[in-house]
Amino acid sequence: MGNGRTLGVGLIGLGVVGTGVVQLIQKNREDFKKFRGVDLDLRRVAVRDPGKPREVDLPTGAFTTAEALVEDPDVDIVVEVMGGVDAATDLCCRALKSGKDLVTANKAMMAERGDEVFSAAAAGGASVGFEASVCGGIPILQALRDGLVANQVESLYGILNGTTNYILTRMTDEGGSFDEMLQEAQDAGYAEADPAMDIDGTDAAQKLSLLCRIAFRRRLDPEHISKEGIEGISPVDIDFARELGYTIKLLGIARPLGDSIEARVHPALVPLDSQLANIKHEFNAVEVVGSAAGPQVFTGRGAGRLPTASAIVADLVDVAQRRLAGRGESADLARLPEAAPASPDSVKISAYCRFTVFDTPGVLAQIACIFADHNIGIAKVIQHGRSESEGDTVTLIMTTHEARESDMKRAVHVIGQLPVVQHEPKVIRIEEL
Ligand code: NAP
Ligand code: HSE
């Protein structure tokens, strides 16, 4: 290979991910020239505050504004790692329409405004790489798009958010407090600028929507993904889950059901001996069931500087090679049919239920009756001692057999109204995997 054709790179954002991108370009530039035939020349960098100290050395005069960067004729490929939706979409679409390629880690933008981004790319004959927006360093989009091209994807599920997996792991293994573990995840650079996006399942739902786009070739608005976060998971649930032989993980699950897609993000009890139970800290994992290849598990670091930058730089090399070969984005990804969300009546779940009840005779029978009235069978019951929890109440744990999700919701609502039941019941799905 020769010295590689030189392409100008413009970077918008020099925070956790942007800094890693600079480090990896600088470290690998010579190898890319020699072995990939591309010379990635970082020419412009846009930040909010150019006066802030930075961890990397940049070419003199590199700093500019994002608006100037997307208009700059010396920039061939824009890397967007500033985050946010509206301003980022506007900048990225302007760059793409003028023929610049785009590499981004911004799942919020790609999940919510992806159609506009792909249309702008098709209009400008440019390419979009967004591998880093789903599961950090794991090349899952490439695997779905290329490696599994001969398969219909029958289902996919996994751990799609590093911050919540970090918090749950540390709470489970070391008894850490939720707030302290969240602070650690933020300090490590895993969390979103607004960590509520991680905690309430929004980030995982955005990633699941992008996975559905590539795996099922359908658009599924993240708003149509049923979503629950880890806010309500208490150490009590973690302890009872362990006693039952499970651990708690935040999962994203999607499978086609006829013309619709069942897609949901929620905490779930998973068996202690399952592969997902052993995915710890900021690691993510996705199991994909392909019609020809069968089940495959992809795992690796889902958040953090270098893992995310690794996916960005892989996309950079890929779009650079596409540019040199004269291949841009087709409009296919913008024109995918919309998938309807699956109706709750078609979704079946089994569940762990925690009730705080007055310690009086007949409580168990009342609850069991309501479950039976809704066609829900009880699998296991745990109650330790008498009146241990608070005042004259006890904690009652029940797990159920599989039942319609809609029946489960109605039954738990009715149980929650019983005079013997204190507090809102806590329900967590069980996924046997
Ligand atoms: P970050 O550390 O907060 O960095 C954001 C960067 O963007 C900062 O350098 C900031 O400038 C710059 N910026 C913000 N608004 C700007 C504007 N209007 N014009 C120019 N620059 C602007 O965020 P991050 O963690 O690197 O995340 C960036 C993106 O990557 C997000 O979309 C996120 O969802 C995604 N992502 C992150 C991870 C991760 O592990 N962190 C993993 C996958 C994907 P200043 O430095 O001057 O403040
Ligand atoms: N906040 C995200 C996470 C970053 O914790 O998974 C990676 O997308």
Side-chain angles (χ1 to χ4, degrees):
M1 276 274 181
N3 282 334
R5 300 253 307 274
T6 304
L7 292 170
V9 176
L11 179 67
I12 310 180
L14 190 57
V16 173
V17 181
T19 302
V21 171
V22 176
Q23 288 169 334
L24 292 188
I25 292 178
Q26 289 175 343
K27 183 160 187 233
N28 294 292
R29 186 171 173 183
E30 290 306 316
D31 277 354
F32 294 156
K33 276 162 51 175
K34 271 194 230 149
F35 303 119
R36 296 287 169 159
V38 291
D39 178 19
L40 299 174
D41 184 15
L42 180 63
R43 291 178 178 159
R44 300 282 180 269
V45 177
V47 289
R48 207 165 14 200
D49 174 8
K52 217 191 248 185
R54 304 287 167 180
E55 294 174 57
V56 280
D57 291 329
L58 295 165
T60 318
F63 280 119
T64 182
T65 64
E67 287 71 19
L69 184 150
V70 296
E71 306 287 342
D72 193 322
D74 287 340
V75 170
D76 301 298
I77 307 173
V78 171
V79 177
E80 183 276 310
V81 280
M82 70 179 227
V85 176
D86 292 339
T89 308
D90 179 56
L91 289 163
C92 292
C93 288
R94 274 162 54 193
L96 287 164
K97 282 179 191 160
S98 71
K100 298 183 195 308
D101 297 312
L102 170 69
V103 175
T104 179
N106 190 335
K107 55 271 169 139
M109 172 180 78
M110 294 307 291
E112 290 174 22
R113 308 278 294 275
D115 286 350
E116 288 165 66
V117 174
F118 291 122
S119 298
S127 300
V128 181
F130 58 109
E131 182 69 72
S133 62
V134 183
C135 297
I138 308 175
I140 181 69
L141 298 186
Q142 188 198 31
L144 288 169
R145 203 170 28 218
D146 300 330
L148 294 171
V149 70
N151 290 254
Q152 278 73 51
V153 175
E154 294 170 355
S155 67
L156 57 86
Y157 64 83
I159 296 168
L160 309 180
N161 181 270
T163 299
T164 46
N165 202 45
Y166 183 86
I167 294 170
L168 289 173
T169 304
R170 299 288 307 275
M171 284 175 74
T172 303
D173 291 356
E174 292 151 53
S177 86
F178 186 102
D179 290 342
E180 275 169 13
M181 295 311 117
L182 171 58
Q183 188 57 56
E184 281 193 17
Q186 288 181 283
D187 294 345
Y190 306 147
E192 294 304 299
D194 173 5
M197 307 278 281
D198 296 290
I199 302 304
D200 72 5
T202 301
D203 176 85
Q206 289 165 343
K207 290 168 179 164
L208 192 61
S209 149
L210 293 172
L211 286 169
C212 287
R213 195 183 270 263
I214 304 297
F216 307 129
R217 302 203 62 77
R218 309 248 207 101
R219 282 164 38 224
L220 185 67
D221 192 324
E223 293 293 310
H224 291 154
I225 294 177
S226 101
K227 166 178 78 93
E228 216 180 287
I230 65 162
E231 320 74 330
I233 302 296
S234 77
V236 177
D237 297 314
I238 291 173
D239 289 346
F240 277 117
R242 189 186 290 119
E243 187 174 339
L244 289 160
Y246 297 92
T247 190
I248 300 180
K249 296 288 184 187
L250 182 72
L251 299 187
I253 299 174
R255 62 175 74 92
L257 283 178
D259 287 339
S260 57
I261 293 180
E262 177 196 339
R264 48 200 167 92
V265 168
H266 54 73
L269 273 67
V270 302
L272 280 171
D273 59 1
S274 64
Q275 247 173 322
L276 287 191
N278 293 300
I279 303 300
K280 304 228 170 175
H281 301 104
E282 79 277 23
F283 278 68
N284 286 184
V286 187
E287 174 160 331
V288 179
V289 180
S291 54
Q296 300 199 333
V297 180
F298 300 86
T299 184
R301 285 197 164 82
R305 169 169 292 170
L306 288 181
T308 310
S310 159
I312 293 261
V313 175
D315 268 352
L316 251 176
V317 171
D318 182 51
V319 301
Q321 289 180 320
R322 287 165 68 90
R323 168 170 285 265
L324 295 177
R327 285 180 284 135
E329 196 72 60
S330 82
D332 289 0
L333 280 173
R335 291 201 200 111
L336 295 175
E338 179 99 38
S343 119
D345 280 336
S346 58
V347 176
K348 292 198 162 178
I349 63 167
S350 49
Y352 154 103
C353 307
R354 171 167 52 84
F355 305 108
T356 307
V357 297
F358 286 113
D359 192 11
T360 51
V363 175
L364 196 55
Q366 285 183 65
I367 294 176
C369 261
I370 295 170
F371 274 135
D373 288 347
H374 289 80
N375 300 313
I376 299 166
I378 294 166
K380 282 189 185 152
V381 177
I382 304 181
Q383 184 199 319
H384 292 308
R386 304 201 60 188
S387 303
E388 286 170 342
S389 36
E390 62 180 67
D392 49 1
T393 62
V394 287
T395 300
L396 186 62
I397 303 296
M398 288 183 170
T399 62
T400 74
H401 293 298
E402 202 173 62
R404 282 212 303 243
E405 184 174 25
S406 49
D407 286 338
M408 190 74 73
K409 280 190 176 151
R410 278 192 282 267
V412 170
H413 176 74
V414 176
I415 294 168
Q417 306 298 307
L418 290 173
V420 290
V421 174
Q422 285 274 288
H423 312 308
E424 182 94 350
K426 179 74 196 159
V427 177
I428 309 175
R429 291 169 186 77
I430 300 174
E431 295 288 340
E432 293 297 344
L433 304 175

